[in-house]
């Protein structure tokens, strides 16, 4: 296989203006190192020759020579005979796995589409470096920030205000991600046996956590492309529930977006029933189409809303940082619940998120462009290889929610797909009340060629199951297969 | 007040050998910046003159001049008329508060002894920098490490093995701190109404979390200096509890250490009763006296033990990273519970802890020396100013557990002490079953002069309450005072 290359012009664009006040070769080496580290220059790519790069940048040849030498010394560049200078990483260059018990990390060549979350965006390493530079301000304290770094709470509040829900920083509690935030809310608001309205399908960990807390779940049936608002209003009125756990922004797994009118009507129904809206906004910033009419946050429609957000989809899951936005009256109870959950989010991750949100409150343009390309590759591949698959292309979010042809069982497809080198999550994983046997969720979080390959593998698995081959073996393996792989996103 | 100084000799010792392979002035500037950042050179300290430092280090005068210039540019050094070059921090130099709702951060000059946790030790900034350099290996993944970074799990397992409980890395689950770890264990092991044995007094957040989970608590009475083992054995046998939550290593708040013989006898009683030991080892590494006979981990006495550890006391609370060590049979249930709690600890903090534990698995010598000095200052101050106070000096841990003279109410003392500029936590905060009204916990986590001042303020508060002054006002304020300040450590 030919070594992939990056042109001198593109390299120069990635490098951008060199940071002034430092030796030029160091600034250039840093910029290139960051681009390799965060994947804007993929590992294994041949960099332009020193001469070419000198031509494309406004620097001397010596500067480029010294920068490349620094990169070689620090393990970010290797000289290969016949391939010139190739980008590398200092330690293992392969993706690090989850360390999961079950199963071992996907084997080489297996495409894992069970996780609707992406790699880190460009700029993350710089944000970590800037955050470390600010850390000394916090080292003389014990490191417990129960409510969160004040500046981060300000930036999060500003994002709500800008989106149409005026918010003050003291309505924000920083958490260790959205799942931790939802847990804090559950323990603060719910008692044993309380009725809770929850969309069906929905994010499985919310259902599991509600069940562990002994809530009684009232499923809210979703159409494949969103909410049947009159039906939601009827269910809410009949349920008399303590709380409703909703994902109105690019709902997981359907990708549907609830408009302002629907939000208003559902909010009024919840108020009338005395039901607290608990809104998971993890995916709210993952809008991919410029012309999508973005509704206001649910909290703008009902001041009693408790909103739970996360940086995992807008920025990176490895930060494990999220937040709760709650009315002043509710916050003290949440803080008490939080202190028995964990004592605070790590200081540094909060400073990193502060840096990232200041640079871009939501998705970066680069990330949006990449996700669109992956979504397009998935849609094109599915239409080519699986013309009988039904789905609505969502304006945002990270996955397609797809209906298999009549008589094709999604869990059987998921099991057979494993033998084809493809991991997918089938409908029943997202079901509150059983069923959804013909649905699969397909995240478009990997690069376009991989998405295309995934559709080919999925098509083979569907053909096998539809042709009656593998269904028996699949059924036999279902029981031990299903509960064994935690689905994180 | 005269400007404090650091001698050229001591500065040279703090700087150590300069990192080779980089310009000497940069290596020197980095070493000095780290020493200021992590407090080994306190902010406001005058550094040696360039001439003096050149004499003490084996470098040229130009190197020192350029290093000082770099520090000035980056905000770590300020030239003050008449004071020479003084250490500063680039942004706010004051301790950052907790962002707590309740109450506002302690006002200037108030001594906060409610938190038994320390500032970050030396070397933390370097560990963060090294961890950021390793982060690129993880950026191409989604960042969810359910079980934890494999190398960190190895290092944690090795620490158990070295302490006498042979452990394999796959028995370790990395968590977001000990409180999060205890929550994961509770949700995995306990059902509603399960009886749980718990020491009295103990760490309040464990009691609160158990109560939220609707456990029925069976208190295990502690003597002021430790466990009455025959009494513990009787209680365990009578309780027939599902689990026992114990802190055998420098117990919080008493500081007591349970010996191997006591561990063995209690472990046998728990086995006989079918009770799972859940052991909080947060403080296990905080041994201050060299000659203390360190017992083996509780898991070495009972293979069914679930151990919960943390880096908050051995290294720094700001990492918010801990772990669970559990038998293979129990781990899958813990992982399921963990996925509904949070999805994993942040990648970077795990890499930082890996760096710190490789350098020193437990407390550094520097940290041990500092804590001893603070403990000595507290003990000396108490003996001088409060000769009627009764306490046992523990061989480790972070606080003294002190009994006030007959008739002096600890909560009244805590309230009056606030007016003296001292915050302390009184006995009832640590009580499972009410009572402990004459006890206070005094952490020795601040510098010796502050500890001395704290004893003077405490003595005045005790005199006020003992003399009958302030007791009435105190009682009136108790109700609104007590529930309002979460106690994190």
């Amino acid at each position: 296989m030919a070594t992939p290359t990056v042109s001198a012009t593109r390299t120069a664009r990635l490098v951008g203006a060199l940071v002034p006040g430092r030796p030029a070769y160091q600034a250039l080496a840093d910029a290139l190192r960051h681009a390799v580290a965060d994947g804007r220059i993929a590992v294994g790519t041949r960099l332009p020759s020193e001469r070419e790069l000198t031509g494309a940048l406004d620097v001397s040849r010596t500067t480029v020579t010294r920068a490349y030498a620094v990169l070689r010394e620090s393990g970010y560049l290797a000289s290969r005979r016949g391939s010139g200078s190739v980008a590398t990483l200092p330690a293992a260059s392969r993706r690090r796995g989850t360390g999961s018990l079950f199963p071992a990390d996907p084997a080489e060549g297996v495409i894992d589409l069970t996780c609707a979350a992406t790699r880190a965006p460009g700029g993350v390493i710089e944000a970590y470096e800037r955050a470390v530079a600010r850390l000394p301000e916090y080292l003389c304290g014990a490191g417990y920030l129960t409510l969160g770094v004040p500046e981060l709470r300000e930036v999060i509040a500003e994002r709500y205000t800008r989106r149409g829900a005026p918010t003050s920083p003291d309505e924000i509690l920083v958490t260790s991600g959205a799942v931790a935030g939802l847990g804090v809310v559950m323990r603060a608001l719910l008692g044993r046996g309380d009725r809770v309205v929850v969309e069906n399908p929905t994010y499985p960990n919310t259902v599991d956590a509600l069940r562990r807390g002994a809530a009684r779940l009232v499923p809210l049936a979703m159409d494949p492309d969103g909410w049947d608002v009159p039906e939601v209003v009827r269910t809410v009125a009949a349920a008399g529930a303590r709380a409703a756990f909703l994902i109105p922004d690019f709902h997981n797994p359907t990708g549907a977006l609830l408009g302002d009118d629907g939000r208003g009507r559902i909010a009024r129904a919840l108020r009338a029933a005395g039901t607290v809206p608990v809104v998971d906004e993890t995916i709210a910033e993952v809008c991919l189409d410029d012309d999508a009419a973005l509704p206001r946050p649910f909290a703008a429609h009902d001041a009693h809303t408790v909103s739970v957000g996360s940086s995992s989809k807008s920025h990176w899951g490895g930060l494990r940082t999220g937040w709760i936005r709650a009315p002043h009256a509710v916050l003290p109870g949440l803080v008490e619940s939080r202190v028995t959950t964990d004592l605070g989010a790590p200081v540094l991750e909060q400073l990193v998120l502060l840096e990232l949100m200041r640079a871009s409150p939501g998705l970066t343009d680069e990330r949006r462009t990449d996700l669109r390309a992956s979504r397009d590759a998935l849609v094109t591949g599915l239409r080519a290889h699986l013309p009988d698959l039904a789905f609505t292309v969502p304006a945002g979010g990270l996955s397609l929610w797809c209906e298999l042809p009549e008589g094709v069982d999604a869990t059987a497809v998921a099991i057979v797909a494993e033998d084809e080198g493809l991991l997918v999550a089938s409908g029943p994983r997202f079901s509150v009340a059983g069923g959804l046997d013909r649905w699969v969720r397909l995240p478009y979080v990997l690069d376009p060629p991989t998405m295309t390959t995934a559709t080919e593998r999925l098509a083979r698995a569907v053909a096998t199951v539809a042709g009656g081959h593998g269904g028996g073996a699949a059924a036999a393996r279902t029981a031990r297969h299903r509960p064994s792989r935690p689905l994180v996103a």
Side-chain angles (χ1 to χ4, degrees), chain A residues 343-364:
Chain A
L343 301 173
V347 177
L348 188 88
E349 309 297 324
Q350 297 188 58
L351 296 174
V352 174
L353 181 56
L354 176 63
E355 294 287 338
L356 290 172
M357 286 187 75
R358 278 192 175 148
S360 174
L363 230 49
T364 61

Side-chain angles (χ1 to χ4, degrees), chain A residues 229 258-270 298 301-302:
Chain A
V229 174
L258 181 60
D260 270 312
D261 177 63
R263 288 173 195 233
R265 286 156 68 197
I266 293 174
R268 282 192 294 279
L270 291 167
F298 204 92
H301 295 277
D302 183 351

Side-chain angles (χ1 to χ4, degrees), chain A residues 360-400:
Chain A
S360 174
L363 230 49
T364 61
D365 290 340
E366 176 202 1
R367 168 59 52 100
R368 184 173 288 111
T369 305
D370 287 350
L371 282 171
R372 267 192 213 135
S374 293
R375 183 184 60 177
D376 292 349
L378 176 61
V379 167
T380 305
L382 290 176
R383 287 187 178 143
H385 302 296
L386 281 161
D388 294 341
L389 205 71
F391 55 84
T392 303
V393 180
L398 293 162
S399 48
L400 293 189

Side-chain angles (χ1 to χ4, degrees), chain A residues 6 15 17 55 96 119 132 182 188 192 219 226 260 273 291 307 313-314 324 327 338-339 386 400 416 432 443 445 450:
Chain A
V6 52
V15 164
R96 294 287 178 153
R119 45 165 292 133
V132 170
L182 287 166
R192 182 179 173 77
D260 270 312
D291 53 356
S307 311
K313 306 307 168 71
S314 56
I324 301 171
R338 198 268 162 78
V339 171
L386 281 161
L400 293 189
V416 173
V432 178
V445 293
T450 305

